[in-house]
Amino acid sequence: MQQDKQPAYGPVVFRDRSAGYAFLTRSTAVSEETIEWDDGETYPVVDVEISSESHPFYTGKARVVDAEGQVAKFEKRYGEQGKS
């Protein structure tokens, strides 16, 4: 493996602006912007649009699909036509 062609892998803070949530992890993502973290160190920060704190699936605010209503609508529309 050629070492000089691999991207730099280091600590990066990902910040979800919509939820006010940030987490520190390791990544190859780069950013000119930096942030001082809780440990007193300065890390590059990458702003993201959505994270587990703001995604509807993880927060429990996902839209619930009414499957029973869909079946009733289908039965009403097509009735007994499809049965042999």
Side-chain angles (χ1 to χ4, degrees):
M1 189 181 304
Q2 298 175 349
Q3 294 298 323
D4 58 335
K5 295 199 178 193
Q6 299 299 315
Y9 183 72
V12 177
V13 174
F14 286 94
R15 178 173 51 192
D16 182 352
R17 291 252 179 188
S18 63
Y21 175 71
F23 58 94
L24 176 65
T25 188
R26 295 181 57 85
S27 176
T28 58
V30 293
S31 175
E32 297 295 321
E33 192 176 348
T34 60
I35 189 171
E36 186 173 330
W37 196 243
D38 299 333
D39 60 3
E41 296 289 323
T42 303
Y43 299 106
V45 63
V46 176
D47 290 323
V48 295
E49 293 180 25
I50 197 160
S51 70
S52 61
E53 288 294 312
S54 61
H55 192 280
F57 178 78
Y58 293 108
T59 60
K61 297 177 183 172
R63 192 179 104 197
V64 177
V65 177
D66 181 17
E68 186 175 332
Q70 295 295 325
V71 171
K73 188 189 300 182
F74 180 84
E75 297 272 334
K76 181 179 174 186
R77 183 179 294 164
Y78 298 106
E80 298 287 323
Q81 288 177 344
K83 295 187 178 180
S84 20

